[in-house]
Amino acid sequence: MNLPVPDSNGPDWAVFLDVDGTLLNLAEHPDDVLVPDGLLSLLICLKRALNGAVALVSGRSLASLDALLGAASLDVAGCHGAEIRLNGQASLLGSADAVIPKVAERLAMLSDGIPLSMVELKTHSIAFHYRHQQMDALQARQLALKAIAGQEGRLRLLDGKQVVEILPQGVGKGAAISHFLEHPPFKNRLPVFVGDDVTDEEGFLEVNKRGGISIHVGSSDSTLAQYKAVSVAEIAEWLAGPVCRSLEYNQRKDAS
Ligand SMILES: [Mg+2]
């Protein structure tokens, strides 16, 4: 199915983009990803064409995204939405910071000696990375559950591809998209969300509920997304080509 384009007679779009696996090809380690030339200028162009209604919605921290993309002028949900930057103002959606470092420490102890596993303490969340050769998803989840024991009222688990995320309760990509849509310039627009991971499914669900457009990148058959793209390259071509061209055309039409 061809990816959709903005309709000049339809509602204006608000575009939400996951980063790793959606705008950037995945690497063995998150620090090893390569940022394609022109990505930031594409995002800035898109932002201009959408009158500001574009946001990155990522599992990375805000600081990591800014360092990676130089995207300090963009609206961003970092740590799966635990931290939000909207119109230049940073805020937190969850409040579990007091316990997160302790939980990360406990998880590091519990997983000590398991090859290829890693506890990544982000600013406002934790990612427990593992490899299927060493443990399955259920075992990884059980370890993470042990690590948050006693804090279930403040923290939640979210499964991803060979990763279990530990997030503040109430935080996720669906909640982050919902938060953006309550505020200008996103308010009253049709949400469009593009993502590649299991952790993006909550975003797809939120967007579908609102009659928006959900796009999954990759080969998974079990997704709530309405559209499928095969690769990061296809998304970049779609954004730079059909999407930007339609938006520019619509803007010219509105101005004439
Ligand atoms: Mg991703």
Side-chain angles (χ1 to χ4, degrees):
M1 201 189 308
N2 283 341
L3 296 179
V5 293
D7 178 352
S8 60
N9 297 315
D12 289 333
W13 281 13
V15 173
F16 301 98
L17 299 164
D18 168 55
V19 176
D20 295 75
T22 297
L23 297 177
L24 303 177
N25 282 308
L26 296 171
E28 188 58 33
H29 191 280
D31 291 345
D32 298 335
V33 291
L34 293 174
V35 178
D37 287 344
L39 177 60
L40 183 60
S41 47
L42 168 63
L43 293 171
I44 289 170
C45 257
L46 196 61
K47 181 173 167 160
R48 202 176 307 134
L50 287 162
N51 290 320
V54 60
L56 304 176
V57 182
S58 172
R60 287 179 183 266
S61 69
L62 225 147
S64 157
L65 285 168
D66 285 352
L68 187 68
L69 301 174
S73 63
L74 290 174
D75 289 334
V76 166
C79 295
H80 295 273
E83 48 181 358
I84 298 268
R85 181 172 61 220
L86 175 58
N87 299 321
Q89 293 287 326
S91 61
L92 296 181
L93 279 195
S95 57
D97 286 8
V99 295
I100 281 179
K102 276 196 167 48
V103 169
E105 220 171 89
R106 200 184 305 163
L107 186 53
M109 270 163 46
L110 289 165
S111 60
D112 188 30
I114 300 173
L116 304 175
S117 71
M118 182 185 73
V119 177
E120 183 191 359
L121 175 59
K122 299 189 244 181
T123 332
H124 306 285
S125 66
I126 301 164
F128 176 46
H129 303 270
Y130 62 94
R131 288 290 172 262
H132 284 320
Q133 306 95 291
Q134 305 298 332
M135 57 166 42
D136 62 24
L138 189 63
Q139 289 169 315
R141 197 180 169 82
Q142 278 167 345
L143 270 191
L145 266 178
K146 263 191 200 165
I148 67 163
Q151 300 296 340
E152 293 87 347
R154 300 171 87 174
L155 298 171
R156 61 172 296 216
L157 302 185
L158 182 64
D159 298 304
K161 285 180 202 156
Q162 302 194 83
V163 65
V164 183
E165 304 278 350
I166 300 177
L167 307 174
Q169 278 293 358
V171 161
K173 292 193 177 182
I177 290 170
S178 181
H179 179 82
F180 279 117
L181 290 169
E182 285 168 19
H183 298 90
F186 299 92
K187 200 169 178 167
N188 299 325
R189 283 175 173 249
L190 185 77
V192 179
F193 177 47
V194 192
D196 71 302
D197 201 348
V198 193
T199 54
D200 296 316
E201 293 295 322
E202 290 181 6
F204 298 145
L205 181 66
E206 183 62 39
V207 161
N208 292 350
K209 267 195 325 206
R210 292 169 178 267
I213 295 168
S214 48
I215 302 171
H216 180 270
V217 188
S219 56
S220 170
D221 285 329
S222 64
T223 175
L224 295 170
Q226 304 147 355
Y227 294 88
K228 283 190 177 186
V230 291
S231 63
V232 167
E234 185 181 349
I235 292 301
E237 282 163 24
W238 169 69
L239 288 173
V243 173
C244 278
R245 269 203 306 273
S246 302
L247 289 169
E248 282 162 13
Y249 172 77
N250 296 348
Q251 274 184 341
R252 277 202 304 275
K253 206 173 135 208
D254 288 347
S256 63

